[in-house]
Short mmCIF file of all heavy atoms in Angstrom, two decimals:
data_model
loop_
_atom_site.label_atom_id
_atom_site.label_comp_id
_atom_site.label_asym_id
_atom_site.label_seq_id
_atom_site.Cartn_x
_atom_site.Cartn_y
_atom_site.Cartn_z
N GLU A 230 205.35 0.20 12.13
CA GLU A 230 206.40 -0.81 12.01
C GLU A 230 205.95 -2.13 12.60
O GLU A 230 206.03 -3.18 12.07
CB GLU A 230 207.74 -0.41 12.58
CG GLU A 230 208.84 -1.42 12.59
CD GLU A 230 209.97 -1.03 13.44
OE1 GLU A 230 210.00 0.09 14.00
OE2 GLU A 230 210.87 -1.85 13.54
N MET A 231 205.52 -2.04 13.90
CA MET A 231 205.16 -3.16 14.58
C MET A 231 203.93 -3.87 14.01
O MET A 231 203.80 -5.11 14.03
CB MET A 231 204.88 -2.85 16.11
CG MET A 231 206.13 -2.58 16.88
SD MET A 231 205.93 -2.96 18.64
CE MET A 231 205.90 -4.70 18.66
N ARG A 232 202.99 -3.05 13.46
CA ARG A 232 201.84 -3.69 12.81
C ARG A 232 202.37 -4.50 11.63
O ARG A 232 201.87 -5.65 11.37
CB ARG A 232 200.92 -2.63 12.26
CG ARG A 232 199.98 -2.06 13.44
CD ARG A 232 198.93 -1.20 12.83
NE ARG A 232 198.08 -1.89 11.88
CZ ARG A 232 197.24 -1.24 11.07
NH1 ARG A 232 197.09 0.03 11.03
NH2 ARG A 232 196.46 -1.95 10.25
N SER A 233 203.28 -3.97 10.88
CA SER A 233 203.79 -4.73 9.70
C SER A 233 204.49 -6.02 10.09
O SER A 233 204.26 -7.06 9.44
CB SER A 233 204.82 -3.83 8.90
OG SER A 233 204.17 -2.67 8.39
N ILE A 234 205.33 -5.94 11.12
CA ILE A 234 206.01 -7.13 11.61
C ILE A 234 205.05 -8.13 12.12
O ILE A 234 205.10 -9.31 11.76
CB ILE A 234 207.05 -6.79 12.70
CG1 ILE A 234 208.20 -6.00 12.07
CG2 ILE A 234 207.56 -8.01 13.38
CD1 ILE A 234 209.09 -6.84 11.23
N ASN A 235 204.04 -7.68 12.99
CA ASN A 235 203.09 -8.65 13.55
C ASN A 235 202.25 -9.31 12.44
O ASN A 235 201.92 -10.48 12.50
CB ASN A 235 202.21 -7.91 14.56
CG ASN A 235 202.94 -7.79 15.88
OD1 ASN A 235 204.16 -7.87 15.94
ND2 ASN A 235 202.20 -7.54 16.96
N GLN A 236 201.83 -8.52 11.42
CA GLN A 236 201.05 -9.09 10.36
C GLN A 236 201.83 -10.11 9.64
O GLN A 236 201.30 -11.19 9.27
CB GLN A 236 200.58 -7.98 9.41
CG GLN A 236 199.49 -7.13 9.99
CD GLN A 236 199.24 -5.87 9.17
OE1 GLN A 236 199.91 -5.69 8.12
NE2 GLN A 236 198.31 -5.08 9.56
N ALA A 237 203.10 -9.88 9.43
CA ALA A 237 204.00 -10.82 8.68
C ALA A 237 204.22 -12.09 9.48
O ALA A 237 204.01 -13.20 8.99
CB ALA A 237 205.30 -10.21 8.22
N GLU A 238 204.49 -11.92 10.77
CA GLU A 238 204.85 -13.11 11.56
C GLU A 238 203.61 -13.82 12.05
O GLU A 238 203.65 -14.96 12.31
CB GLU A 238 205.68 -12.61 12.77
CG GLU A 238 207.07 -12.11 12.37
CD GLU A 238 207.90 -11.82 13.60
OE1 GLU A 238 207.34 -11.60 14.66
OE2 GLU A 238 209.15 -11.65 13.43
N GLY A 239 202.51 -13.10 12.13
CA GLY A 239 201.29 -13.70 12.68
C GLY A 239 200.41 -14.37 11.64
O GLY A 239 199.42 -14.97 12.01
N ALA A 240 200.67 -14.16 10.35
CA ALA A 240 199.76 -14.66 9.35
C ALA A 240 199.59 -16.14 9.39
O ALA A 240 198.47 -16.65 9.35
CB ALA A 240 200.26 -14.26 7.96
N LEU A 241 200.71 -16.84 9.67
CA LEU A 241 200.63 -18.30 9.76
C LEU A 241 199.80 -18.75 10.98
O LEU A 241 199.12 -19.77 10.94
CB LEU A 241 202.00 -18.89 9.78
CG LEU A 241 202.03 -20.37 9.56
CD1 LEU A 241 201.63 -20.76 8.16
CD2 LEU A 241 203.42 -20.95 9.84
N LYS A 242 199.92 -18.00 12.05
CA LYS A 242 199.27 -18.38 13.29
C LYS A 242 197.76 -18.37 13.16
O LYS A 242 197.04 -18.87 13.90
CB LYS A 242 199.69 -17.47 14.43
CG LYS A 242 201.22 -17.62 14.76
CD LYS A 242 201.62 -16.70 15.85
CE LYS A 242 203.13 -16.93 16.13
NZ LYS A 242 203.64 -15.92 17.09
N GLU A 243 197.27 -17.59 12.09
CA GLU A 243 195.81 -17.56 11.88
C GLU A 243 195.37 -19.00 11.54
O GLU A 243 194.16 -19.30 11.70
CB GLU A 243 195.53 -16.66 10.61
CG GLU A 243 195.77 -15.21 10.93
CD GLU A 243 194.90 -14.61 12.10
OE1 GLU A 243 193.67 -14.94 12.02
OE2 GLU A 243 195.40 -14.00 13.02
N LEU A 244 196.26 -19.88 11.07
CA LEU A 244 195.82 -21.25 10.73
C LEU A 244 195.34 -21.90 12.08
O LEU A 244 194.46 -22.83 11.92
CB LEU A 244 197.06 -22.01 10.21
CG LEU A 244 197.51 -21.59 8.78
CD1 LEU A 244 198.74 -22.43 8.41
CD2 LEU A 244 196.48 -21.79 7.78
N ALA A 245 195.97 -21.63 13.14
CA ALA A 245 195.59 -22.27 14.37
C ALA A 245 194.08 -22.05 14.71
O ALA A 245 193.44 -22.85 15.33
CB ALA A 245 196.43 -21.78 15.50
N LYS A 246 193.55 -20.87 14.15
CA LYS A 246 192.14 -20.57 14.45
C LYS A 246 191.23 -21.53 13.72
O LYS A 246 190.04 -21.58 13.95
CB LYS A 246 191.87 -19.15 14.07
CG LYS A 246 192.72 -18.22 14.93
CD LYS A 246 192.36 -16.66 14.48
CE LYS A 246 193.18 -15.76 15.39
NZ LYS A 246 192.93 -14.29 14.95
N LEU A 247 191.77 -22.23 12.64
CA LEU A 247 190.93 -23.16 11.90
C LEU A 247 190.66 -24.46 12.65
O LEU A 247 189.75 -25.16 12.26
CB LEU A 247 191.64 -23.46 10.57
CG LEU A 247 191.90 -22.37 9.57
CD1 LEU A 247 192.75 -22.80 8.40
CD2 LEU A 247 190.59 -21.73 9.15
N LEU A 248 191.47 -24.69 13.68
CA LEU A 248 191.17 -25.88 14.47
C LEU A 248 189.85 -25.67 15.25
O LEU A 248 189.72 -24.72 15.92
CB LEU A 248 192.31 -26.18 15.44
CG LEU A 248 193.58 -26.83 14.91
CD1 LEU A 248 194.66 -26.87 15.95
CD2 LEU A 248 193.24 -28.25 14.49
N PRO A 249 189.04 -26.68 15.19
CA PRO A 249 187.75 -26.52 15.96
C PRO A 249 187.98 -26.69 17.49
O PRO A 249 189.05 -27.30 17.78
CB PRO A 249 186.85 -27.67 15.36
CG PRO A 249 187.83 -28.69 14.93
CD PRO A 249 189.06 -27.88 14.46
N ASP A 250 187.09 -26.23 18.25
CA ASP A 250 187.31 -26.41 19.73
C ASP A 250 186.65 -27.78 20.18
O ASP A 250 187.09 -28.28 21.17
CB ASP A 250 186.52 -25.24 20.43
CG ASP A 250 187.12 -23.87 20.19
OD1 ASP A 250 188.35 -23.83 20.05
OD2 ASP A 250 186.37 -22.93 20.05
N ILE A 251 185.70 -28.20 19.35
CA ILE A 251 184.97 -29.40 19.79
C ILE A 251 185.09 -30.46 18.66
O ILE A 251 185.02 -30.11 17.49
CB ILE A 251 183.47 -29.10 20.05
CG1 ILE A 251 183.34 -28.08 21.13
CG2 ILE A 251 182.71 -30.46 20.43
CD1 ILE A 251 183.86 -28.53 22.52
N ALA A 252 185.25 -31.71 19.05
CA ALA A 252 185.27 -32.78 18.07
C ALA A 252 184.21 -33.81 18.38
O ALA A 252 183.76 -33.92 19.53
CB ALA A 252 186.63 -33.47 18.09
N THR A 253 183.79 -34.60 17.39
CA THR A 253 182.78 -35.63 17.60
C THR A 253 183.53 -36.99 17.69
O THR A 253 184.04 -37.44 16.69
CB THR A 253 181.76 -35.69 16.45
OG1 THR A 253 181.12 -34.41 16.39
CG2 THR A 253 180.73 -36.76 16.75
N ARG A 254 183.55 -37.61 18.88
CA ARG A 254 184.25 -38.80 19.10
C ARG A 254 183.23 -40.01 19.08
O ARG A 254 182.16 -39.95 19.69
CB ARG A 254 185.03 -38.80 20.41
CG ARG A 254 185.83 -40.09 20.61
CD ARG A 254 186.89 -39.86 21.70
NE ARG A 254 186.24 -39.49 23.00
CZ ARG A 254 187.03 -39.05 24.03
NH1 ARG A 254 188.31 -38.94 23.93
NH2 ARG A 254 186.37 -38.76 25.19
N ILE A 255 183.62 -41.04 18.36
CA ILE A 255 182.77 -42.20 18.31
C ILE A 255 183.16 -43.26 19.31
O ILE A 255 184.34 -43.64 19.41
CB ILE A 255 182.80 -42.90 16.86
CG1 ILE A 255 182.32 -41.87 15.85
CG2 ILE A 255 181.91 -44.15 16.78
CD1 ILE A 255 182.46 -42.34 14.42
N THR A 256 182.23 -43.63 20.19
CA THR A 256 182.49 -44.64 21.20
C THR A 256 181.55 -45.82 21.12
O THR A 256 180.67 -45.82 20.23
CB THR A 256 182.36 -43.99 22.62
OG1 THR A 256 180.97 -43.63 22.81
CG2 THR A 256 183.22 -42.76 22.77
N ASP A 257 181.72 -46.83 21.92
CA ASP A 257 180.78 -47.99 21.86
C ASP A 257 179.33 -47.56 22.20
O ASP A 257 178.39 -48.21 21.75
CB ASP A 257 181.22 -49.03 23.00
CG ASP A 257 182.59 -49.61 22.60
OD1 ASP A 257 182.94 -49.56 21.42
OD2 ASP A 257 183.29 -50.16 23.54
N GLY A 258 179.25 -46.45 22.94
CA GLY A 258 177.90 -46.01 23.31
C GLY A 258 177.29 -45.04 22.28
O GLY A 258 176.21 -44.58 22.51
N GLY A 259 178.03 -44.70 21.19
CA GLY A 259 177.52 -43.78 20.15
C GLY A 259 178.44 -42.63 19.95
O GLY A 259 179.68 -42.77 20.13
N GLU A 260 177.90 -41.45 19.72
CA GLU A 260 178.73 -40.28 19.49
C GLU A 260 178.75 -39.34 20.79
O GLU A 260 177.76 -39.29 21.54
CB GLU A 260 178.12 -39.41 18.30
CG GLU A 260 178.21 -40.19 17.04
CD GLU A 260 177.53 -39.39 15.95
OE1 GLU A 260 177.24 -38.12 16.20
OE2 GLU A 260 177.25 -39.89 14.82
N GLU A 261 179.85 -38.71 21.00
CA GLU A 261 179.99 -37.72 22.04
C GLU A 261 180.71 -36.56 21.65
O GLU A 261 181.72 -36.62 20.85
CB GLU A 261 180.61 -38.36 23.34
CG GLU A 261 182.01 -38.82 23.15
CD GLU A 261 182.56 -39.40 24.45
OE1 GLU A 261 181.91 -39.30 25.47
OE2 GLU A 261 183.73 -39.82 24.41
N LYS A 262 180.48 -35.36 22.14
CA LYS A 262 181.20 -34.10 21.85
C LYS A 262 182.27 -33.98 22.94
O LYS A 262 182.02 -34.00 24.18
CB LYS A 262 180.24 -32.89 21.94
CG LYS A 262 179.14 -32.94 20.89
CD LYS A 262 179.70 -32.71 19.46
CE LYS A 262 178.48 -32.69 18.43
NZ LYS A 262 179.06 -32.52 17.10
N VAL A 263 183.46 -33.75 22.50
CA VAL A 263 184.60 -33.67 23.44
C VAL A 263 185.48 -32.46 22.97
O VAL A 263 185.53 -32.10 21.79
CB VAL A 263 185.46 -34.91 23.50
CG1 VAL A 263 184.68 -35.99 24.09
CG2 VAL A 263 186.09 -35.27 22.13
N ALA A 264 186.17 -31.85 23.93
CA ALA A 264 187.20 -30.83 23.59
C ALA A 264 188.32 -31.43 22.75
O ALA A 264 188.75 -32.56 23.00
CB ALA A 264 187.69 -30.15 24.83
N VAL A 265 188.73 -30.68 21.75
CA VAL A 265 189.88 -31.13 20.93
C VAL A 265 191.18 -31.44 21.78
O VAL A 265 191.89 -32.35 21.49
CB VAL A 265 190.21 -30.05 19.83
CG1 VAL A 265 191.51 -30.45 19.10
CG2 VAL A 265 189.08 -30.02 18.78
N SER A 266 191.34 -30.62 22.84
CA SER A 266 192.45 -30.85 23.70
C SER A 266 192.42 -32.15 24.52
O SER A 266 193.45 -32.64 25.01
CB SER A 266 192.53 -29.69 24.73
OG SER A 266 191.35 -29.63 25.53
N ALA A 267 191.18 -32.79 24.53
CA ALA A 267 191.03 -34.06 25.23
C ALA A 267 191.27 -35.26 24.36
O ALA A 267 191.24 -36.44 24.85
CB ALA A 267 189.65 -34.13 25.93
#
Side-chain angles (χ1 to χ4, degrees):
E230 176 191 356
M231 287 207 69
R232 282 188 60 191
S233 297
I234 289 288
N235 280 20
Q236 287 170 359
E238 293 184 343
L241 192 67
K242 295 178 184 177
E243 292 297 313
L244 291 177
K246 297 179 181 178
L247 297 174
L248 279 173
D250 296 322
I251 302 296
T253 303
R254 183 164 60 190
I255 300 174
T256 65
D257 293 339
E260 299 176 8
E261 63 175 357
K262 298 290 185 181
V263 296
V265 170
S266 58

